[in-house]
């Protein structure tokens, strides 16, 4: 991961950066309309970069209603589709931010299924079509903050992971949920590197996994997920550092004991199990006090914003950690 030494002044978002949701939705309606007319043509991230075009349209539209879950719709301006689909962390395709957009085309997302295992009443293979129909799709506009010190605002489409958990009926003994993502050496050149152990694995406490903000995402910007963002389904846990949100999930296991997780195994001093966004706990190699919003003017004097406790979701999730020392459980 990158070392940041930027120490410029903390700043809060200014009013002009805040887009009313209605304006965003109007723009999105316009985009979907343009797609229906065939105006979007063969959009691809590569061509978008080459042409400076910034619009979705390559993938199937996925319908959704605005979420009513408290905290699920920040009014901050969404990151451009182009930035969100060309600046990615998906180490299975390489560690450079541009690798996933360049190489994830190879990922085969159909047919797809997720194996549900461990301490549940209804284990088994759940295919994608069934998962897509399990609960109504909602649009949620979440901030996502990477532990490296950058952040984005993304309109995701999906439903609360809690809906799937309810469906599979965890046993009373289940305390944690473990998420395994795809590791396919034929399509993922990054697996040749040993920066992490593969498959990528992350985990949550069962109550964190059941929190209504924890999203099982199938789409973003009104379309099915692009491969580089974790197609065909991924997790989004907005109050934790981005690495907790595994992409391209293939296996979900319910356990009694706290599972081992990829980043924690790779660098235990740097990445703990909880990994809640906490500006008061510096990464051992850099401060977490501020962040750079992708798409803000770059350059040496790029503004950095103050990072908020739990990435701004403290009113919704703070209670999950009542009484815990969040410096010890980082
Ligand atoms: N399978 C898998 N999931 C992953 C990663 C990864 O390398 N592999 N990177 C994580 C990290 S570090 C971040 S910040 C987010 C980035 O999501 P985005 O590229 O959609 O913004 O995905 C997370 N999920
Ligand atoms: Mo990250």
């Amino acid at each position: 991961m990158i070392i940041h030494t930027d120490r410029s002044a903390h700043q809060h978002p200014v009013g002009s950066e805040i887009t009313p949701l209605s304006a965003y939705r109007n723009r999105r309606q316009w985009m979907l309309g343009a797609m229906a007319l065939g105006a979007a043509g063969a959009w691809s991230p590569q061509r978008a970069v080459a042409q400076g075009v910034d619009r979705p349209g390559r993938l199937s539209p996925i319908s959704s209603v605005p979420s009513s879950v408290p905290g699920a719709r920040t009014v901050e301006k969404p990151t451009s589709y182009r930035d969100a689909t060309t600046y990615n962390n998906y180490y299975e395709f390489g560690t450079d931010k541009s690798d996933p957009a360049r190489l994830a085309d190879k990922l085969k997302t159909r047919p797809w299924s997720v194996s549900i295992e461990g301490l549940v009443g209804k284990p088994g293979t759940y295919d994608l079509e069934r998962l897509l129909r399990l609960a109504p799709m909602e649009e949620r506009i979440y901030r996502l903050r990477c532990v490296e010190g950058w952040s984005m605002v993304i309109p995701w489409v999906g439903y609360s992971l809690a809906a799937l958990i309810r469906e599979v009926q965890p046993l009373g003994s289940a305390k944690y949920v473990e998420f395994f993502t795809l590791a396919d050496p034929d399509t993922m050149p990054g697996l040749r590197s040993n920066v992490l152990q593969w498959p990528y694995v992350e985990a949550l406490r069962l109550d964190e996994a059941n929190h209504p903000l924890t999203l099982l995402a199938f789409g973003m910007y009104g379309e099915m997920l692009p491969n580089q963002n974790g197609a065909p389904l991924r997790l989004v846990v907005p109050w934790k550092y981005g690495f907790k949100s595994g992409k391209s999930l293939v296996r979900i296991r319910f356990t009694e004991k706290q599972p081992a997780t990829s980043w924690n195994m790779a660098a235990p001093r740097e990445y703990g199990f909880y990994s809640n966004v906490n500006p008061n706990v510096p990464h051992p190699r850099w401060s977490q006090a501020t962040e750079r919003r992708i798409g803000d003017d770059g350059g040496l004097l790029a503004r950095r914003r103050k990072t908020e406790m739990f990435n701004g979701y403290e009113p919704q999730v703070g209670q999950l950690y009542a009484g815990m020392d969040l410096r010890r459980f980082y």
Side-chain angles (χ1 to χ4, degrees):
M1 293 205 170
I2 295 165
I3 300 174
H4 289 290
T5 51
D6 191 313
R7 298 191 197 287
S8 53
H10 299 174
Q11 274 180 320
H12 291 282
V14 293
S16 63
E17 289 172 338
I18 295 173
T19 311
L21 187 62
S22 60
Y24 164 72
R25 295 196 73 80
N26 287 341
R27 199 163 61 232
R28 196 186 127 197
Q29 280 318 111
W30 178 86
M31 292 188 305
L32 292 176
M35 278 162 53
L37 292 170
W43 191 94
S44 76
Q46 296 89 327
R47 280 187 48 191
V49 175
Q51 302 168 356
V53 177
D54 179 27
R55 65 184 178 203
R58 185 175 64 132
L59 301 157
S60 323
I62 183 167
S63 59
S64 60
V65 296
S67 178
S68 57
V69 169
R73 287 158 69 196
T74 175
V75 294
E76 285 172 275
K77 185 175 159 201
T79 300
S80 78
Y81 186 80
R82 180 182 149 200
D83 283 338
T85 55
T86 56
Y87 188 93
N88 299 104
N89 272 341
Y90 196 160
Y91 276 22
E92 289 83 340
F93 292 101
T95 54
D96 198 275
K97 295 286 177 277
S98 61
D99 287 338
R102 214 160 42 77
L103 300 169
D105 265 8
K106 297 260 182 343
L107 178 65
K108 199 168 156 268
T109 59
R110 299 291 189 288
W112 192 278
S113 61
V114 177
S115 170
I116 306 283
E117 304 172 6
L119 305 172
V120 287
K122 289 166 65 188
T125 302
Y126 288 65
D127 52 356
L128 181 61
E129 287 63 36
R130 177 170 172 198
L131 292 171
L132 282 165
R133 271 185 265 107
L134 196 76
M137 290 286 172
E138 297 178 2
E139 181 174 78
R140 304 199 181 171
I141 307 179
Y142 282 169
R143 290 177 288 270
L144 180 140
R145 190 200 188 278
C146 177
V147 76
E148 295 164 341
W150 49 269
S151 60
M152 298 196 192
V153 175
I154 298 188
W156 302 103
V157 180
Y159 51 76
S160 293
L161 178 68
L164 175 60
I165 296 178
R166 204 179 311 121
E167 175 76 15
V168 305
Q169 299 172 8
L171 306 181
S173 49
K175 297 282 179 292
Y176 294 90
V177 192
E178 201 175 10
F179 304 90
F180 298 85
T181 79
L182 184 71
D184 174 22
D186 292 338
T187 53
M188 298 173 143
L191 298 190
R192 279 180 237 134
S193 144
N194 57 11
V195 337
L196 292 175
Q197 287 176 46
W198 316 105
Y200 190 101
V201 55
E202 262 307 334
L204 298 170
R205 231 167 48 190
L206 183 59
D207 60 339
E208 298 177 316
N210 261 324
H211 192 280
L213 284 176
T214 300
L215 183 71
L216 192 59
F218 299 85
M220 57 188 236
Y221 300 83
E223 293 187 351
M224 297 299 288
L225 284 173
N227 289 355
Q228 61 268 40
N229 294 87
L233 79 166
R234 70 174 295 176
L235 213 60
V236 188
V237 192
W239 69 95
K240 292 178 181 275
Y241 290 118
F243 67 90
K244 296 296 286 184
S245 298
K247 295 178 169 182
S248 309
L249 299 172
V250 291
R251 201 170 141 214
I252 300 178
R253 184 162 71 186
F254 291 74
T255 67
E256 185 160 11
K257 280 201 267 166
Q258 182 177 302
T261 57
S262 286
W263 280 106
N264 180 248
M265 286 187 275
R269 245 173 44 80
E270 304 187 10
Y271 310 109
F273 177 83
Y274 281 94
S275 301
N276 290 315
V277 173
N278 184 349
N280 307 313
V281 177
H283 183 282
R285 292 184 279 136
W286 60 82
S287 163
Q288 294 289 19
T290 65
E291 68 204 54
R292 176 173 67 94
R293 181 64 51 80
I294 299 301
D296 280 356
D297 282 346
L300 280 175
L301 297 174
R303 304 182 313 104
R304 291 185 69 86
R305 316 165 176 247
K306 220 175 144 206
T307 287
E308 291 177 78
M309 190 66 196
F310 295 111
N311 202 23
Y313 299 94
E314 180 161 24
Q316 290 81 30
V317 304
Q319 200 50 40
L320 290 173
Y321 309 100
M324 277 177 72
D325 177 354
L326 295 177
R327 287 181 175 271
R328 198 158 96 75
F329 298 99
Y330 61 93

